[in-house]
Amino acid sequence: MKNLTTLFTIGFLFMLGACKEAPKGEEKTEPVAEEQTVEYKNSFPYRGIPQELVMKVWNEVDMLDYIFHQLPFSMNQTEQASIRTNVSYIGKNAKPWIPKDCVPIARQFYQTNGDIWMEADVYFTEQCQFYVFYIDGKPAYANEMSTAGSDFFKTMINQALDASKKAGH
């Protein structure tokens, strides 16, 4: 019995020693994650483009123009199938907040019978892939870009840049 009490006491002291505080200067601290604050261009969250507006584009738009800001080309689509394919590049999810460091690469102009009735800024970088839609010259809606849209812009931009290089520009 005396051996059992001695064994218990030794075990207790061993556990007590393992739980003691770290000596000063050797204090362990958890790494603190740096807080990253993101600044936004908009002061209120954008809603996604309403489905009825998407359907209006689908059914009524007869010309879609692209003006690229820094690239050496522009583009337009007049075939209904091409315009509808482009509509499918508008993602289902809204993009409520637009980071300040995102810059649009192009402006799209949606036309019916020669009248521009809606525009969109196209954002396409690795971190920024979305649309901001303008009604009457004011930003109204924003949606993420679909994966198919991302693939389209990547392919189109690469082809245009390759053609420009071959032409010596």
Side-chain angles (χ1 to χ4, degrees), residues 33-132:
E34 289 184 34
E35 283 189 38
Q36 293 182 356
T37 54
V38 177
E39 293 185 31
Y40 299 104
K41 292 182 180 191
N42 48 320
S43 57
F44 62 91
Y46 289 123
R47 295 179 300 137
I49 189 169
Q51 187 61 32
E52 58 270 9
L53 200 52
V54 173
M55 292 311 299
K56 182 175 181 176
V57 172
W58 184 270
N59 291 319
E60 298 178 20
V61 168
D62 56 16
M63 181 177 281
L64 182 59
D65 280 326
Y66 295 82
I67 306 293
F68 290 89
H69 303 305
Q70 301 295 323
L71 298 172
F73 65 95
S74 63
M75 180 178 80
N76 70 41
Q77 296 175 320
T78 56
E79 294 178 16
Q80 188 179 45
S82 296
I83 293 168
R84 287 182 171 178
T85 298
N86 193 280
V87 171
S88 73
Y89 301 154
I90 302 169
K92 302 254 185 260
N93 295 328
K95 179 73 175 166
W97 299 104
I98 309 305
K100 274 194 175 178
D101 58 343
C102 292
V103 178
I105 64 159
R107 177 67 69 110
Q108 287 181 317
F109 299 89
Y110 297 84
Q111 298 180 48
T112 303
N113 298 321
D115 293 325
I116 298 170
W117 61 270
M118 185 170 75
E119 299 177 29
D121 278 337
V122 179
Y123 290 79
F124 185 75
T125 63
E126 195 165 321
Q127 294 80 21
C128 306
Q129 296 181 9
F130 54 89
Y131 301 90
V132 174

